[in-house]
mmCIF file of all heavy atoms in Angstrom:
data_model
loop_
_atom_site.group_PDB
_atom_site.id
_atom_site.type_symbol
_atom_site.label_atom_id
_atom_site.label_comp_id
_atom_site.label_asym_id
_atom_site.label_seq_id
_atom_site.Cartn_x
_atom_site.Cartn_y
_atom_site.Cartn_z
ATOM 1 N N VAL Z 1 6.328 6.181 6.909
ATOM 2 C CA VAL Z 1 5.061 6.920 7.093
ATOM 3 C C VAL Z 1 4.416 6.450 8.404
ATOM 4 O O VAL Z 1 3.869 7.243 9.254
ATOM 5 C CB VAL Z 1 4.107 6.821 5.941
ATOM 6 C CG1 VAL Z 1 2.751 7.482 6.230
ATOM 7 C CG2 VAL Z 1 4.713 7.528 4.676
ATOM 8 N N LEU Z 2 4.291 5.088 8.543
ATOM 9 C CA LEU Z 2 3.694 4.571 9.793
ATOM 10 C C LEU Z 2 4.458 4.939 11.071
ATOM 11 O O LEU Z 2 3.839 5.264 12.078
ATOM 12 C CB LEU Z 2 3.548 3.020 9.648
ATOM 13 C CG LEU Z 2 2.460 2.527 8.670
ATOM 14 C CD1 LEU Z 2 2.509 1.015 8.617
ATOM 15 C CD2 LEU Z 2 1.096 2.982 9.110
ATOM 16 N N ARG Z 3 5.778 5.006 10.996
ATOM 17 C CA ARG Z 3 6.588 5.395 12.107
ATOM 18 C C ARG Z 3 6.247 6.813 12.492
ATOM 19 O O ARG Z 3 6.191 7.196 13.717
ATOM 20 C CB ARG Z 3 8.106 5.287 11.841
ATOM 21 C CG ARG Z 3 8.675 3.844 12.022
ATOM 22 C CD ARG Z 3 10.214 3.890 12.121
ATOM 23 N NE ARG Z 3 10.848 4.582 10.980
ATOM 24 C CZ ARG Z 3 11.230 3.962 9.862
ATOM 25 N NH1 ARG Z 3 10.980 2.666 9.747
ATOM 26 N NH2 ARG Z 3 11.751 4.635 8.897
ATOM 27 N N ASN Z 4 6.088 7.676 11.478
ATOM 28 C CA ASN Z 4 5.733 9.061 11.724
ATOM 29 C C ASN Z 4 4.332 9.212 12.387
ATOM 30 O O ASN Z 4 4.020 10.214 12.968
ATOM 31 C CB ASN Z 4 5.801 9.892 10.445
ATOM 32 C CG ASN Z 4 7.215 10.244 10.014
ATOM 33 O OD1 ASN Z 4 8.103 10.081 10.855
ATOM 34 N ND2 ASN Z 4 7.362 10.729 8.769
ATOM 35 N N GLN Z 5 3.519 8.181 12.244
ATOM 36 C CA GLN Z 5 2.171 8.117 12.887
ATOM 37 C C GLN Z 5 2.248 7.468 14.251
ATOM 38 O O GLN Z 5 1.274 7.180 14.879
ATOM 39 C CB GLN Z 5 1.204 7.370 11.950
ATOM 40 C CG GLN Z 5 0.914 7.990 10.615
ATOM 41 C CD GLN Z 5 0.134 9.315 10.713
ATOM 42 O OE1 GLN Z 5 -0.834 9.336 11.478
ATOM 43 N NE2 GLN Z 5 0.532 10.310 9.956
ATOM 44 N N GLY Z 6 3.444 7.145 14.649
ATOM 45 C CA GLY Z 6 3.666 6.464 15.942
ATOM 46 C C GLY Z 6 3.213 5.026 15.870
ATOM 47 O O GLY Z 6 2.808 4.439 16.898
ATOM 48 N N ASN Z 7 3.300 4.402 14.679
ATOM 49 C CA ASN Z 7 2.782 3.063 14.338
ATOM 50 C C ASN Z 7 1.346 2.892 14.924
ATOM 51 O O ASN Z 7 0.979 1.865 15.468
ATOM 52 C CB ASN Z 7 3.724 1.988 14.988
ATOM 53 C CG ASN Z 7 4.963 1.794 14.155
ATOM 54 O OD1 ASN Z 7 4.861 1.753 12.934
ATOM 55 N ND2 ASN Z 7 6.146 1.623 14.745
ATOM 56 N N LYS Z 8 0.538 3.960 14.693
ATOM 57 C CA LYS Z 8 -0.846 3.891 15.124
ATOM 58 C C LYS Z 8 -1.683 4.496 13.981
ATOM 59 O O LYS Z 8 -1.393 5.622 13.564
ATOM 60 C CB LYS Z 8 -1.070 4.647 16.443
ATOM 61 C CG LYS Z 8 -2.490 4.622 16.923
ATOM 62 C CD LYS Z 8 -2.576 5.323 18.229
ATOM 63 C CE LYS Z 8 -4.038 5.260 18.762
ATOM 64 N NZ LYS Z 8 -4.174 5.986 20.112
ATOM 65 N N ILE Z 9 -2.710 3.757 13.545
ATOM 66 C CA ILE Z 9 -3.556 4.276 12.449
ATOM 67 C C ILE Z 9 -4.919 3.560 12.634
ATOM 68 O O ILE Z 9 -5.004 2.452 13.094
ATOM 69 C CB ILE Z 9 -2.920 4.050 11.095
ATOM 70 C CG1 ILE Z 9 -3.586 4.893 10.064
ATOM 71 C CG2 ILE Z 9 -2.980 2.526 10.757
ATOM 72 C CD1 ILE Z 9 -2.811 5.030 8.754
ATOM 73 N N PHE Z 10 -5.942 4.272 12.163
ATOM 74 C CA PHE Z 10 -7.296 3.657 12.285
ATOM 75 C C PHE Z 10 -7.346 2.348 11.494
ATOM 76 O O PHE Z 10 -7.805 1.316 11.957
ATOM 77 C CB PHE Z 10 -8.380 4.620 11.843
ATOM 78 C CG PHE Z 10 -9.781 3.989 12.007
ATOM 79 C CD1 PHE Z 10 -10.382 3.974 13.223
ATOM 80 C CD2 PHE Z 10 -10.409 3.422 10.920
ATOM 81 C CE1 PHE Z 10 -11.690 3.369 13.382
ATOM 82 C CE2 PHE Z 10 -11.613 2.832 11.041
ATOM 83 C CZ PHE Z 10 -12.259 2.855 12.275
ATOM 84 N N GLY Z 11 -6.977 2.424 10.169
ATOM 85 C CA GLY Z 11 -7.112 1.216 9.311
ATOM 86 C C GLY Z 11 -6.003 1.046 8.310
ATOM 87 O O GLY Z 11 -5.336 1.930 7.946
ATOM 88 N N MET Z 12 -5.898 -0.243 7.924
ATOM 89 C CA MET Z 12 -4.999 -0.612 6.805
ATOM 90 C C MET Z 12 -5.841 -1.102 5.661
ATOM 91 O O MET Z 12 -6.889 -1.841 5.854
ATOM 92 C CB MET Z 12 -4.084 -1.667 7.251
ATOM 93 C CG MET Z 12 -3.027 -1.248 8.244
ATOM 94 S SD MET Z 12 -1.745 -0.142 7.556
ATOM 95 C CE MET Z 12 -0.878 -1.242 6.440
ATOM 96 N N MET Z 13 -5.482 -0.800 4.444
ATOM 97 C CA MET Z 13 -6.094 -1.315 3.228
ATOM 98 C C MET Z 13 -4.975 -1.909 2.370
ATOM 99 O O MET Z 13 -4.141 -1.170 1.854
ATOM 100 C CB MET Z 13 -6.868 -0.225 2.435
ATOM 101 C CG MET Z 13 -8.088 0.292 3.129
ATOM 102 S SD MET Z 13 -8.909 1.570 2.164
ATOM 103 C CE MET Z 13 -10.325 2.018 3.248
ATOM 104 N N THR Z 14 -5.001 -3.238 2.197
ATOM 105 C CA THR Z 14 -4.000 -3.883 1.413
ATOM 106 C C THR Z 14 -4.621 -4.828 0.447
ATOM 107 O O THR Z 14 -5.745 -5.224 0.620
ATOM 108 C CB THR Z 14 -3.003 -4.608 2.287
ATOM 109 O OG1 THR Z 14 -3.742 -5.625 3.109
ATOM 110 C CG2 THR Z 14 -2.273 -3.689 3.298
ATOM 111 N N HIS Z 15 -3.869 -5.203 -0.601
ATOM 112 C CA HIS Z 15 -4.422 -6.264 -1.481
ATOM 113 C C HIS Z 15 -4.405 -7.628 -0.902
ATOM 114 O O HIS Z 15 -5.399 -8.347 -0.828
ATOM 115 C CB HIS Z 15 -3.667 -6.233 -2.829
ATOM 116 C CG HIS Z 15 -4.262 -7.175 -3.847
ATOM 117 N ND1 HIS Z 15 -5.649 -7.157 -4.207
ATOM 118 C CD2 HIS Z 15 -3.742 -8.178 -4.582
ATOM 119 C CE1 HIS Z 15 -5.882 -8.099 -5.080
ATOM 120 N NE2 HIS Z 15 -4.758 -8.685 -5.333
ATOM 121 N N THR Z 16 -3.221 -8.022 -0.407
ATOM 122 C CA THR Z 16 -3.080 -9.338 0.287
ATOM 123 C C THR Z 16 -3.150 -9.063 1.792
ATOM 124 O O THR Z 16 -3.315 -7.937 2.233
ATOM 125 C CB THR Z 16 -1.845 -10.039 -0.133
ATOM 126 O OG1 THR Z 16 -1.787 -11.356 0.343
ATOM 127 C CG2 THR Z 16 -0.577 -9.272 0.245
ATOM 128 N N CYS Z 17 -3.019 -10.157 2.546
ATOM 129 C CA CYS Z 17 -3.133 -10.060 3.996
ATOM 130 C C CYS Z 17 -1.843 -10.393 4.726
ATOM 131 O O CYS Z 17 -0.894 -10.916 4.171
ATOM 132 C CB CYS Z 17 -4.246 -11.040 4.452
ATOM 133 S SG CYS Z 17 -3.824 -12.799 4.257
ATOM 134 N N PRO Z 18 -1.772 -10.069 6.041
ATOM 135 C CA PRO Z 18 -0.669 -10.517 6.831
ATOM 136 C C PRO Z 18 -0.525 -12.040 6.879
ATOM 137 O O PRO Z 18 -1.528 -12.719 6.833
ATOM 138 C CB PRO Z 18 -0.890 -9.920 8.231
ATOM 139 C CG PRO Z 18 -1.899 -8.844 7.972
ATOM 140 C CD PRO Z 18 -2.723 -9.252 6.811
ATOM 141 N N ILE Z 19 0.663 -12.504 6.994
ATOM 142 C CA ILE Z 19 0.952 -13.938 6.836
ATOM 143 C C ILE Z 19 0.157 -14.859 7.779
ATOM 144 O O ILE Z 19 -0.242 -15.918 7.366
ATOM 145 C CB ILE Z 19 2.497 -14.190 7.054
ATOM 146 C CG1 ILE Z 19 2.871 -15.642 6.726
ATOM 147 C CG2 ILE Z 19 2.935 -13.834 8.497
ATOM 148 C CD1 ILE Z 19 2.784 -15.991 5.299
ATOM 149 N N ASP Z 20 -0.135 -14.411 9.017
ATOM 150 C CA ASP Z 20 -0.883 -15.322 9.921
ATOM 151 C C ASP Z 20 -2.348 -15.416 9.636
ATOM 152 O O ASP Z 20 -2.989 -16.210 10.295
ATOM 153 C CB ASP Z 20 -0.706 -14.708 11.379
ATOM 154 C CG ASP Z 20 0.712 -14.827 11.881
ATOM 155 O OD1 ASP Z 20 1.476 -15.617 11.384
ATOM 156 O OD2 ASP Z 20 0.992 -14.069 12.866
ATOM 157 N N TYR Z 21 -2.810 -14.763 8.628
ATOM 158 C CA TYR Z 21 -4.271 -14.777 8.292
ATOM 159 C C TYR Z 21 -4.530 -15.310 6.964
ATOM 160 O O TYR Z 21 -5.682 -15.211 6.425
ATOM 161 C CB TYR Z 21 -4.878 -13.355 8.407
ATOM 162 C CG TYR Z 21 -4.769 -12.828 9.820
ATOM 163 C CD1 TYR Z 21 -3.671 -12.055 10.303
ATOM 164 C CD2 TYR Z 21 -5.758 -13.055 10.750
ATOM 165 C CE1 TYR Z 21 -3.588 -11.600 11.578
ATOM 166 C CE2 TYR Z 21 -5.693 -12.581 12.036
ATOM 167 C CZ TYR Z 21 -4.566 -11.857 12.454
ATOM 168 O OH TYR Z 21 -4.547 -11.391 13.733
ATOM 169 N N LEU Z 22 -3.611 -16.048 6.369
ATOM 170 C CA LEU Z 22 -3.831 -16.665 5.072
ATOM 171 C C LEU Z 22 -5.019 -17.629 5.089
ATOM 172 O O LEU Z 22 -5.144 -18.485 5.894
ATOM 173 C CB LEU Z 22 -2.595 -17.437 4.603
ATOM 174 C CG LEU Z 22 -1.337 -16.572 4.287
ATOM 175 C CD1 LEU Z 22 -0.167 -17.514 4.039
ATOM 176 C CD2 LEU Z 22 -1.566 -15.701 3.094
ATOM 177 N N PRO Z 23 -5.960 -17.430 4.211
ATOM 178 C CA PRO Z 23 -7.120 -18.344 4.098
ATOM 179 C C PRO Z 23 -6.770 -19.529 3.254
ATOM 180 O O PRO Z 23 -7.123 -19.636 2.061
ATOM 181 C CB PRO Z 23 -8.257 -17.478 3.486
ATOM 182 C CG PRO Z 23 -7.427 -16.559 2.528
ATOM 183 C CD PRO Z 23 -6.131 -16.281 3.219
ATOM 184 N N THR Z 24 -6.079 -20.508 3.880
ATOM 185 C CA THR Z 24 -5.493 -21.630 3.116
ATOM 186 C C THR Z 24 -6.559 -22.439 2.396
ATOM 187 O O THR Z 24 -6.313 -23.133 1.429
ATOM 188 C CB THR Z 24 -4.729 -22.558 4.017
ATOM 189 O OG1 THR Z 24 -5.586 -22.955 5.145
ATOM 190 C CG2 THR Z 24 -3.476 -21.807 4.637
ATOM 191 N N GLU Z 25 -7.855 -22.405 2.832
ATOM 192 C CA GLU Z 25 -8.936 -23.142 2.168
ATOM 193 C C GLU Z 25 -9.264 -22.618 0.787
ATOM 194 O O GLU Z 25 -9.810 -23.323 -0.023
ATOM 195 C CB GLU Z 25 -10.201 -23.043 3.034
ATOM 196 C CG GLU Z 25 -10.910 -21.700 3.068
ATOM 197 C CD GLU Z 25 -10.401 -20.783 4.161
ATOM 198 O OE1 GLU Z 25 -9.254 -21.006 4.630
ATOM 199 O OE2 GLU Z 25 -11.160 -19.868 4.511
ATOM 200 N N MET Z 26 -8.714 -21.436 0.524
ATOM 201 C CA MET Z 26 -8.952 -20.852 -0.799
ATOM 202 C C MET Z 26 -7.791 -20.994 -1.791
ATOM 203 O O MET Z 26 -7.847 -20.620 -2.929
ATOM 204 C CB MET Z 26 -9.245 -19.342 -0.695
ATOM 205 C CG MET Z 26 -10.495 -19.006 0.155
ATOM 206 S SD MET Z 26 -11.957 -19.759 -0.539
ATOM 207 C CE MET Z 26 -12.034 -18.917 -2.176
ATOM 208 N N PHE Z 27 -6.708 -21.618 -1.313
ATOM 209 C CA PHE Z 27 -5.532 -21.739 -2.196
ATOM 210 C C PHE Z 27 -5.851 -22.747 -3.345
ATOM 211 O O PHE Z 27 -6.513 -23.799 -3.198
ATOM 212 C CB PHE Z 27 -4.338 -22.378 -1.438
ATOM 213 C CG PHE Z 27 -3.769 -21.336 -0.462
ATOM 214 C CD1 PHE Z 27 -2.687 -21.663 0.286
ATOM 215 C CD2 PHE Z 27 -4.279 -20.102 -0.353
ATOM 216 C CE1 PHE Z 27 -2.099 -20.771 1.212
ATOM 217 C CE2 PHE Z 27 -3.757 -19.152 0.508
ATOM 218 C CZ PHE Z 27 -2.635 -19.504 1.305
ATOM 219 N N MET Z 28 -5.397 -22.478 -4.539
ATOM 220 C CA MET Z 28 -5.615 -23.233 -5.712
ATOM 221 C C MET Z 28 -5.060 -24.691 -5.501
ATOM 222 O O MET Z 28 -5.668 -25.687 -5.943
ATOM 223 C CB MET Z 28 -4.981 -22.639 -6.927
ATOM 224 C CG MET Z 28 -5.625 -21.355 -7.355
ATOM 225 S SD MET Z 28 -4.775 -20.455 -8.692
ATOM 226 C CE MET Z 28 -5.164 -21.546 -10.070
ATOM 227 N N SER Z 29 -3.919 -24.762 -4.867
ATOM 228 C CA SER Z 29 -3.271 -26.098 -4.606
ATOM 229 C C SER Z 29 -4.172 -26.902 -3.622
ATOM 230 O O SER Z 29 -4.229 -28.110 -3.741
ATOM 231 C CB SER Z 29 -1.893 -25.895 -4.082
ATOM 232 O OG SER Z 29 -1.856 -25.075 -2.960
ATOM 233 N N THR Z 30 -4.741 -26.214 -2.639
ATOM 234 C CA THR Z 30 -5.588 -26.968 -1.694
ATOM 235 C C THR Z 30 -6.822 -27.464 -2.380
ATOM 236 O O THR Z 30 -7.203 -28.643 -2.135
ATOM 237 C CB THR Z 30 -5.994 -25.956 -0.603
ATOM 238 O OG1 THR Z 30 -4.873 -25.437 0.086
ATOM 239 C CG2 THR Z 30 -6.890 -26.653 0.442
ATOM 240 N N LYS Z 31 -7.379 -26.719 -3.233
ATOM 241 C CA LYS Z 31 -8.593 -27.183 -3.933
ATOM 242 C C LYS Z 31 -8.270 -28.370 -4.906
ATOM 243 O O LYS Z 31 -8.990 -29.304 -5.020
ATOM 244 C CB LYS Z 31 -9.207 -26.024 -4.753
ATOM 245 C CG LYS Z 31 -9.875 -24.972 -3.918
ATOM 246 C CD LYS Z 31 -10.433 -23.879 -4.757
ATOM 247 C CE LYS Z 31 -11.054 -22.832 -3.891
ATOM 248 N NZ LYS Z 31 -11.745 -21.769 -4.682
ATOM 249 N N GLN Z 32 -7.086 -28.239 -5.535
ATOM 250 C CA GLN Z 32 -6.626 -29.274 -6.448
ATOM 251 C C GLN Z 32 -6.373 -30.553 -5.656
ATOM 252 O O GLN Z 32 -6.762 -31.701 -6.135
ATOM 253 C CB GLN Z 32 -5.329 -28.850 -7.137
ATOM 254 C CG GLN Z 32 -4.771 -29.854 -8.098
ATOM 255 C CD GLN Z 32 -3.594 -29.276 -8.857
ATOM 256 O OE1 GLN Z 32 -3.698 -28.707 -9.975
ATOM 257 N NE2 GLN Z 32 -2.437 -29.399 -8.292
ATOM 258 N N ASN Z 33 -5.772 -30.458 -4.472
ATOM 259 C CA ASN Z 33 -5.527 -31.674 -3.697
ATOM 260 C C ASN Z 33 -6.807 -32.373 -3.273
ATOM 261 O O ASN Z 33 -6.867 -33.618 -3.165
ATOM 262 C CB ASN Z 33 -4.682 -31.327 -2.452
ATOM 263 C CG ASN Z 33 -3.245 -30.983 -2.829
ATOM 264 O OD1 ASN Z 33 -2.757 -31.427 -3.887
ATOM 265 N ND2 ASN Z 33 -2.587 -30.164 -1.941
#
């Protein structure tokens, strides 16, 4: 579908985020450490 849009769209809505934007400060393992 995105290819048919020319890989151009106003916005994305996703549950999780792209890998480079992980908020590591919120990870359960980080808080536990």
Side-chain angles (χ1 to χ4, degrees):
V1 172
L2 287 175
R3 278 198 304 271
N4 282 350
Q5 298 289 318
N7 281 322
K8 182 177 181 179
I9 196 163
F10 182 81
M12 293 288 292
M13 292 180 179
T14 59
H15 183 52
T16 187
C17 68
I19 188 69
D20 290 341
Y21 295 89
L22 292 173
T24 55
E25 72 273 21
M26 297 303 296
F27 290 179
M28 294 173 70
S29 54
T30 300
K31 292 181 177 181
Q32 181 173 268
N33 289 336

